[in-house]
Amino acid sequence: PILGEDDEGTMIELDAAKVLSIPRHIKSQEVVRRGFLSNFLFQNISNVFGAPSVVKSIIEKIAPSNEDSISRREAKEPITDVPVNEKGEIEIPTELVIGETQKLFGDKVYKEIRDDLDKHIDSISTNDDYAAIGSQVDEFAKLAKETVKEKIIAKAGDEFGLTQKAQNRIEQQINKDIDSSFDQMKSDFEQQAKIAEIELNKKKAAAETQHEMDEADAEINNKLAEAKQKLIETIDKSIEKTAQEKPAEVIRQIEHIKAEKQKRNNEDLIRAHLRGFSRTIPSFIMAYGDRGLKLENFEKYTEDDVFLEVTGISEDDFCFLRDGGDFVNEETGQTEHFNGNLFNEVVFNDAISEFLNKKEELANYFDESLSKDIFDYIPPQKTNQIFTPRWIVSIMVDELENNNPGCFDDPNNTFADLYMKSGLYITEIIKRLYNSNGMKKQFPNDKDRIDHIISDQVFGMAPTRIIYLIATNYILGFDNELLKNGKHNFVEADAAEASKNNMLEELVEEHFGNKLKELGK
């Protein structure tokens, strides 16, 4: 099945044809709408089960997304091996089935099944009422099903802790096989009896003496006896087959159920890890992205250390998941090849383009008609990159003004955010200054006013490289010229760490001292 999400983000099964019919632009919009947490970004996750252990170890290094319904304990669990073939389909090894069957049942169950069923063959062999034999076969099939249920399924279910639903599922499959086998036996016998009856009627119709009629009766009775004997032999073989094969068949089904469950658990875990990676993509686009950014060159846009810090994996790890490559199998010591292709390139690239469209659409934060900002499409990260919502920022700035009336009218006032995350606080300050009547009087020209605000009034520190890039790209993104000329007072520096060490004043002096002196501060 193909897994997707409903409108509330709950995982549901999707019809493959419907998924394939979804237009590309709709998929990419859905990816962006969910903050790059949509499963459309990934190829068939089942392929991971047949992948080398090095692939699983890379995925395990990625912190799972908070949006996935797995516990912290589950998130730390390894991606266990599931027996699958090259197509990613579950395939239980024969040696496992043989070992588990012998361990649970041994040879005793074979004898018990034979003893239970053998004694009922005599009731068929001694019955000369051929018309009633078909009913006896039905009863025998019923007995065989009850025996298998009691001696094999129930015992195996208790041993492996199967739910009643799972036991019923196995029982239904076993019963279907037994019914099919005995229905065929009964059909073959009844067909031979019917042919014998037709032959008997023909011979009696042609008989001219009682002796000829008696001979016809004897001949047909012999044929019926042969048919009955063949039926008994077939049933005996069926008993043999049931005693020998059904224990292993039940074990195989149980192992298949266990593998299915583990596969689903693993898929949830793998999906959570991969979605944990995908949640970082908008941050990278925001920090480094332009129209040339694609899945194929993603790592060339980012910085190695930043990529590792944000995603938990190296750029080489990412390239291996994307492109594949040779690796040494730890078990065999042999060099093998992994094909990669873990990401859906078409959807990935379309989603990047859609995000950039959204970024440009929302870039002008001076436009009061915009009800959202780009950070509505960037999920919180595993690092300290958690963005304060705009409505809270607005309240903060309102409080600042309430406590400092007229603060935005004075072109000599300076404002600082020493621990920027998104830059939203600074942009709200810039908006208030830009729209201030006092500032408009001092700087009637819009460009002069914004240049003064950016160069002389707002200051900021961002704790990490990627947050610095995100914040400055957002604050200055409405004007490419401002972004390029570098005439701003935003720096990469960890004020929180400096504050812990009682070094905050020194950090501010180091980065802003000369500028503040220039401004007479």
Side-chain angles (χ1 to χ4, degrees):
I2 296 177
L3 293 177
E5 300 168 324
D6 61 17
D7 289 338
E8 296 179 353
T10 304
M11 298 308 303
I12 57 173
E13 263 189 33
L14 300 177
D15 179 79
K18 290 181 180 178
V19 171
L20 293 174
S21 68
I22 297 174
R24 281 171 49 184
H25 72 282
I26 297 297
K27 288 182 181 178
S28 62
Q29 289 172 3
E30 179 66 8
V31 170
V32 173
R33 185 177 78 83
R34 293 196 182 279
F36 277 73
L37 294 174
S38 170
N39 296 318
F40 289 140
L41 278 175
F42 314 118
Q43 303 281 27
N44 187 0
I45 289 177
S46 295
N47 290 337
V48 174
F49 299 121
S53 58
V54 62
V55 173
K56 298 170 188 173
S57 66
I58 291 173
I59 293 175
E60 286 169 355
K61 288 189 285 187
I62 303 170
S65 68
N66 296 331
E67 283 77 6
D68 287 274
S69 57
I70 63 171
S71 67
R72 291 185 179 181
R73 179 186 59 80
E74 290 174 319
K76 294 178 181 178
E77 291 179 356
I79 301 170
T80 55
D81 290 330
V82 177
V84 294
N85 56 26
E86 294 179 353
K87 297 179 180 179
E89 301 164 339
I90 292 174
E91 194 171 273
I92 307 300
T94 300
E95 58 271 19
L96 173 62
V97 174
I98 294 172
E100 290 295 327
T101 303
Q102 188 62 32
K103 184 167 65 175
L104 180 59
F105 298 112
D107 296 326
K108 183 181 178 183
V109 71
Y110 170 80
K111 184 177 184 305
E112 288 177 348
I113 293 173
R114 288 244 43 145
D115 289 346
D116 283 355
L117 298 180
D118 277 351
K119 55 189 176 185
H120 292 277
I121 295 182
D122 293 339
S123 62
I124 297 178
S125 64
T126 58
N127 187 3
D128 291 330
D129 182 4
Y130 296 109
I133 288 179
S135 297
Q136 285 184 295
V137 172
D138 289 338
E139 287 297 317
F140 199 95
K142 181 179 178 181
L143 177 65
K145 289 185 288 187
E146 290 174 350
T147 301
V148 170
K149 178 180 179 180
E150 177 187 346
K151 303 291 185 184
I152 304 175
I153 298 175
K155 184 176 180 180
D158 290 342
E159 177 68 20
F160 289 96
L162 289 187
T163 63
Q164 190 59 52
K165 183 178 179 180
Q167 291 189 48
N168 291 342
R169 174 179 162 187
I170 295 174
E171 184 181 345
Q172 288 172 4
Q173 183 59 52
I174 296 292
N175 288 350
K176 183 179 178 181
D177 293 343
I178 292 176
D179 284 337
S180 176
S181 177
F182 278 87
D183 284 347
Q184 186 63 51
M185 295 181 211
K186 184 174 76 170
S187 177
D188 290 346
F189 174 78
E190 289 177 342
Q191 186 174 7
Q192 291 181 55
K194 188 173 183 179
I195 292 172
E197 182 182 358
I198 293 172
E199 289 182 0
L200 175 62
N201 290 335
K202 285 182 179 179
K203 288 181 182 293
K204 283 186 174 182
E208 297 179 353
T209 66
Q210 183 62 41
H211 178 70
E212 288 178 343
M213 292 186 70
D214 291 342
E215 283 184 338
D217 280 333
E219 181 181 345
I220 297 307
N221 284 332
N222 286 337
K223 287 186 177 181
L224 288 172
E226 289 175 2
K228 184 174 71 172
Q229 184 57 38
K230 184 177 180 181
L231 172 63
I232 291 170
E233 291 173 358
T234 305
I235 291 175
D236 187 69
K237 289 179 181 178
S238 177
I239 294 173
E240 183 78 12
K241 184 177 181 181
T242 297
Q244 288 185 343
E245 297 181 2
K246 291 308 177 189
E249 186 177 330
V250 168
I251 292 296
R252 185 178 295 279
Q253 290 200 43
I254 288 175
E255 292 296 337
H256 198 280
I257 290 172
K258 287 167 57 182
E260 282 180 334
K261 181 179 179 180
Q262 187 59 56
K263 188 169 184 279
R264 287 193 299 271
N265 292 342
N266 275 4
E267 285 176 343
D268 289 342
L269 189 57
I270 291 167
R271 190 175 290 108
H273 283 290
L274 290 178
R275 283 155 67 101
F277 172 80
S278 67
R279 68 186 295 121
T280 68
I281 296 172
S283 293
F284 284 121
I285 303 174
M286 192 70 188
Y288 301 99
D290 59 33
R291 291 293 176 178
L293 179 63
K294 306 286 184 186
L295 174 63
E296 65 187 33
N297 60 16
F298 196 82
E299 79 286 356
K300 295 178 182 178
Y301 272 73
T302 60
E303 297 165 275
D304 295 5
D305 56 340
V306 175
F307 192 95
L308 178 60
E309 177 195 358
V310 175
T311 67
I313 62 175
S314 67
E315 290 182 348
D316 287 342
D317 289 336
F318 167 74
C319 292
F320 188 75
L321 296 179
R322 181 191 63 191
D323 306 326
D326 292 337
F327 67 96
V328 177
N329 188 315
E330 294 179 357
E331 294 182 1
T332 65
Q334 300 295 312
T335 299
E336 299 178 10
H337 185 78
F338 171 60
N339 291 328
N341 300 319
L342 201 57
F343 303 97
N344 187 321
E345 182 176 11
V346 172
V347 176
F348 199 105
N349 290 343
D350 283 352
I352 290 174
S353 178
E354 185 70 23
F355 183 86
L356 288 171
N357 291 342
K358 189 66 66 176
K359 177 186 174 185
E360 291 174 4
E361 175 189 328
L362 301 173
N364 185 12
Y365 51 82
F366 293 97
D367 186 350
E368 295 296 338
S369 67
L370 298 177
S371 59
K372 290 189 174 184
D373 56 67
I374 194 60
F375 298 102
D376 290 322
Y377 301 91
I378 303 179
Q381 307 298 297
K382 68 165 188 175
T383 61
N384 57 3
Q385 189 179 328
I386 301 173
F387 307 116
T388 305
R390 178 178 291 281
W391 66 272
I392 293 180
V393 170
S394 182
I395 292 173
M396 293 166 62
V397 177
D398 286 341
E399 287 298 308
L400 176 64
E401 187 170 18
N402 290 338
N403 287 282
N404 300 274
C407 63
F408 297 119
D409 293 323
D410 188 345
N412 295 313
N413 284 344
T414 53
F415 304 82
D417 181 353
L418 298 184
Y419 204 75
M420 295 192 301
K421 297 293 186 63
S422 60
L424 277 169
Y425 183 76
I426 290 294
T427 60
E428 193 63 25
I429 296 288
I430 292 172
K431 284 166 58 179
R432 302 291 177 97
L433 290 168
Y434 182 79
N435 293 317
S436 160
N437 290 327
M439 290 289 293
K440 287 180 179 179
K441 288 180 181 179
Q442 293 288 331
F443 300 94
N445 181 277
D446 291 348
K447 186 177 186 313
D448 291 343
R449 187 161 68 256
I450 195 67
D451 284 347
H452 172 78
I453 292 169
I454 297 297
S455 64
D456 292 346
Q457 288 193 271
V458 288
F459 297 76
M461 291 182 175
T464 66
R465 173 68 174 165
I466 193 165
I467 294 178
Y468 168 78
L469 292 173
I470 289 172
T472 52
N473 279 335
Y474 181 64
I475 295 168
L476 307 173
F478 68 92
D479 187 331
N480 287 332
E481 191 63 35
L482 283 173
L483 196 58
K484 291 177 182 177
N485 66 31
K487 294 180 180 179
H488 58 74
N489 305 300
F490 307 122
V491 298
E492 179 189 342
D494 193 343
E497 188 64 26
S499 181
K500 289 179 186 177
N501 298 322
N502 296 316
M503 297 288 290
L504 184 56
E505 289 187 16
E506 288 83 348
L507 188 68
V508 172
E509 177 63 27
E510 175 187 347
H511 289 285
F512 303 136
N514 291 336
K515 182 65 179 180
L516 292 173
K517 288 175 183 177
E518 177 188 319
L519 296 173
K521 300 289 183 179

